[in-house]
Amino acid sequence: MDLEKIYKDAGAFLQGHFLLSSGNHSQFYLQSAKVLEDPQLAGALADELAAVIEKSGVEFDSVCSPALGGILAGYELARAAKKRFIFTERVERVMSLRRGFEVGEGERFVVCEDIITTGGSALEAARVIESLGGKVVAFAALANRGFCKVANLAGSVAKASAKLPADKPFFALGNFEFEIYEPANCPLCADGSKAIKPGSRGN
């Protein structure tokens, strides 16, 4: 499965000057919503991701995603794996579980995102699950931005800024490694362009 081609064909592989949710800048941005707006394609990607997790031998009961970006990917993964699905969301900037969702004592979860960069939001969702008695056994995403180690991709290594725990596997369908710049050292800013924020937290 050529994930880069899939993103480019869907118009989801954007080039420009982008402000990421981390506050850093990049010349490239992955707009997964453009991929997931096609239910058949979303289903095919989730089927592939579910197969990767099944092959690993990791057993789980449910899938949880942090809102908003991870919801479609997580829901489709749950469908493909025939598991329950819930999501966390921010309430006054704090990740929380609402809407009557419950976590069973010892219930095993895969936390799923569309794209994982450092894994910060996924880790926040995992902490919510574990605070309620659940157990996070793995993380998953359609794509990895190259910061976290992917269990099923040879040669993948964790960078210093990766936040996902090293003792839990992370599964993804592909790696996208882009240069990311701190605003003060951004060559795009130095050239006079202004970063735009296309992600879920800005619009």
Side-chain angles (χ1 to χ4, degrees):
M1 180 174 284
D2 188 340
L3 196 64
E4 182 172 325
K5 184 177 187 303
I6 288 171
Y7 268 74
K8 286 181 175 178
D9 288 349
F13 192 107
L14 309 181
Q15 185 169 356
H17 184 187
F18 302 106
L19 173 62
L20 307 178
S21 58
S22 64
N24 293 323
H25 294 189
S26 178
Q27 186 179 1
F28 300 99
Y29 189 85
L30 300 172
Q31 184 59 281
S32 294
K34 291 294 293 177
V35 173
L36 297 171
E37 72 179 3
D38 179 342
Q40 286 70 42
L41 179 55
L45 292 169
D47 290 345
E48 180 72 15
L49 187 56
V52 167
I53 297 172
E54 182 178 13
K55 184 178 179 180
S56 77
V58 170
E59 296 184 355
F60 61 104
D61 307 302
S62 303
V63 177
C64 177
S65 293
L68 180 65
I71 289 181
L72 289 178
Y75 184 87
E76 281 297 320
L77 175 61
R79 176 203 55 75
K82 298 180 172 58
K83 307 296 184 182
R84 184 171 79 100
F85 174 75
I86 62 175
F87 62 87
T88 60
E89 56 193 303
R90 295 184 192 281
V91 180
E92 296 181 355
R93 299 186 179 181
V94 177
M95 197 69 81
S96 308
L97 192 67
R98 304 176 63 205
R99 305 177 191 276
F101 290 141
E102 296 180 352
V103 173
E105 187 67 33
E107 186 176 359
R108 298 166 300 179
F109 280 86
V110 169
V111 174
C112 182
E113 281 266 39
D114 53 349
I115 303 291
I116 279 186
T117 302
T118 62
S121 294
L123 185 58
E124 287 181 69
R127 287 172 174 163
V128 172
I129 293 299
E130 292 179 337
S131 73
L132 297 171
K135 182 179 179 182
V136 174
V137 297
F139 295 85
L142 300 181
N144 175 41
R145 281 289 302 266
F147 287 80
C148 300
K149 181 179 179 180
V150 181
N152 58 293
L153 296 179
S156 174
V157 296
K159 294 185 179 178
S161 55
K163 296 179 181 178
L164 295 185
D167 62 340
K168 293 181 173 64
F170 166 42
F171 304 101
L173 298 180
N175 260 326
F176 290 92
E177 295 200 38
F178 307 140
E179 289 288 340
I180 292 179
Y181 310 103
E182 294 180 355
N185 300 311
C186 176
L188 305 171
C189 290
D191 287 341
S193 68
K194 182 177 181 181
I196 62 171
K197 192 169 187 178
S200 60
R201 295 188 195 175
N203 47 328

